[in-house]
């Protein structure tokens, strides 16, 4: 359907606009992550507060250069860790700016500094929290003022709930205000999308009675909450840092989202009237998201995180394919696009935990691509399912005929034409001809067959043709198979063979032999 194509075309435009995140300096200021040093592991006590004595102690210790150009990359230190970097004002005027840490799951952040004259300053100490109306957690940031030509050493103490894999930047006051506004408007946008999607899904469910609309909505809202809890308002800020699952809420929500994705797959199977393959393995892998929780609970499991990731996403990809494979049978572009749309989403979601599991540096495009893609996928899914209901005559919402008549009466008349009159043997037999004999239109007969038999007109005709062929094979053993096929209504020997093997599991000759042996045994 062209509507679905337009949805995905709009998506491409949005992702193209988001491509600016490849070079975010225009919005987020200058990335100074490459200039940061980490305090090397030492025996003995390490300062945990900013003071002049702390800086003197830190200056005597060994520092390791951050190897990433794009972000701070280091394993989390349980009691916090020190970072060091140097900034210089090369302007002829005073430079006022902020040092910004582009992450929110940081309970403690404190900064102090010393200039080249040895003068200590702690005027920028503290984690400044604006009034965000309780909706979003701000990035830790610190206001800085450097005199013309001044060089200053900064010492930053961080306590992080996760491994460090995020940028540290210098931003102007106007850029920081833009960041605040952009994050807030983005949150409002997705909130409005959530409200619209909720109303849309409930409306479709009421009209169709199909639960898949609610499951897709549930999937969208849970994924939005996952992203919000990591990039908007982390659970640890609400529930405290005492519980290891709350301080690493991302893993908890990932496991829940994995299960909800499988609920969607199950609802899709029910929606298409297909059968679930390997149900035991399906539900076993549906709860495999629990493996995510091993990482924060058992730190040693962190080294095996890639195996956890591949197991979980491998199972999701396999069952996405197995539950949606029937969409390729009809060779309809819209149905193929629907499957590919969900496959692409799964790939984008896979990229996000790759970042959180510290397999690649901070890249905003890969981290947020799935977030901006999901609203379009959700809307496209609603449109696709609605169109699918129109094509599938077993669905009740768009029935125009069978709701108004006695279907049993017309079914009896149809079976009389097929069984008594053997109308399927007529060379001119077609759906239009039988519809005319019954006093129905072509579409009305098609709807009747789909509702009463759960398959289409050619399949119904072939059932009676094969039934007739089996009778002839037994009663007239002197006839060859090709002749039997023609007498049964098939136009070619190959079509007869294929359909007979499909329905009976054996070819006509094998059927005749087995039937003759069975008859002899009886006698």
């Amino acid at each position: 359907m062209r509507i679905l194509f337009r949805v995905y075309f709009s998506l491409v435009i949005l992702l193209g606009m988001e491509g600016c995140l490849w070079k975010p300096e225009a919005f987020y200021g200058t990335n100074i992550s490459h200039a940061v040093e980490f305090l090397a592991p030492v025996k003995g006590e390490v300062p945990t507060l900013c003071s002049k004595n702390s800086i003197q102690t830190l200056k005597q210790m060994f520092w390791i250069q951050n190897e990433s150009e794009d972000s701070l990359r280091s394993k989390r230190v349980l009691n916090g860790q020190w970072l060091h970097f140097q900034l210089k004002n090369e302007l002829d005027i005073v430079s006022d700016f902020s040092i910004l840490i582009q992450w929110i799951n940081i309970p403690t952040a404190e900064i102090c500094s010393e200039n080249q004259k040895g003068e200590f300053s702690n005027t920028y100490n503290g984690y400044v929290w604006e009034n965000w109306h309780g909706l979003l957690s701000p990035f830790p940031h610190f206001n800085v003022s450097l005199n013309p030509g001044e060089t200053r050493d900064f010492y930053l103490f961080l306590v992080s709930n996760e491994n460090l894999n995020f940028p540290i930047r210098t931003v102007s006051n106007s850029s920081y205000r833009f960041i605040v506004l952009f994050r807030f408007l983005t949150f409002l946008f997705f909130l409005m999308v959530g409200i619209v999607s909720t109303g849309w899904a409930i409306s479709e469910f009421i009209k169709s009675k199909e639960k898949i609309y609610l499951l897709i909505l549930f999937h969208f809202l849970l994924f939005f909450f996952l992203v919000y809890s990591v990039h908007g308002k982390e659970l640890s800020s609400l529930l405290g840092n005492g519980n290891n699952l709350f301080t690493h809420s991302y893993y908890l929500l990932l496991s829940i989202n994995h299960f909800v994705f499988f609920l969607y797959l199950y609802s899709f199977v029910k929606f298409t009237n297909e059968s679930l393959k390997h149900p035991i393995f399906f539900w076993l892998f549906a709860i495999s998201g629990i493996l995510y929780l091993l990482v924060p609970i058992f730190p040693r499991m962190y080294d095996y995180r890639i195996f956890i990731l591949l197991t979980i996403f491998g199972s999701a990809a396999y069952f996405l394919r197995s539950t949606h494979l029937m969409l390729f049978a009809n060779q309809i572009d819209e149905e193929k696009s629907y499957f590919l749309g969900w496959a692409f989403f799964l790939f984008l979601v896979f990229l996000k935990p790759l970042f959180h599991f510290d397999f690649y540096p901070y890249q905003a495009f890969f981290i947020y691509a799935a977030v901006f893609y999901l609203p379009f996928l959700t809307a496209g899914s609603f449109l696709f399912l609605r169109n699918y209901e129109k094509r599938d005559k077993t669905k009740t919402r768009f029935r125009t005929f069978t709701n108004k008549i006695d279907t049993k009466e017309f079914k009896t008349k149809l079976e009389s034409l097929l069984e008594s009159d053997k109308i399927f043997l007529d060379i001119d037999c077609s759906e239009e001809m039988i519809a005319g004999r019954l006093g129905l239109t072509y579409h009305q007969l098609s709807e009747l067959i789909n509702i009463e038999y759960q398959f289409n007109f050619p399949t119904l005709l072939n059932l009676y043709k094969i039934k007739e062929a089996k009778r002839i094979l037994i009663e007239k053993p002197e006839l060859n198979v090709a002749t039997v096929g023609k007498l049964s209504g098939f136009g070619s020997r190959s079509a007869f063979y294929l359909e007979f093997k499909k329905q009976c599991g054996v070819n006509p000759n094998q059927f005749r032999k087995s039937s003759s042996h069975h008859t002899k045994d009886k006698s």
Side-chain angles (χ1 to χ4, degrees), residues 103-108 129 137 159-162 225 228-230 233-250 253:
W103 201 243
I104 65 168
N105 208 1
I106 301 174
T108 301
W129 294 74
S137 298
V159 175
S160 175
N161 285 333
E162 301 173 336
F225 181 63
Y228 169 73
S229 66
V230 179
K233 188 82 172 179
E234 74 282 3
L235 291 181
S236 59
S237 68
L238 302 173
L239 304 172
N241 285 279
N243 189 296
N244 210 23
L245 285 180
F246 291 152
T247 58
H248 300 83
S249 57
Y250 183 69
L253 293 170

Side-chain angles (χ1 to χ4, degrees), residues 256-268:
I256 297 174
N257 271 262
H258 177 75
F259 182 73
V260 171
F261 178 74
F262 270 73
L263 289 181
Y264 154 71
L265 296 181
Y266 180 74
S267 69
F268 183 80

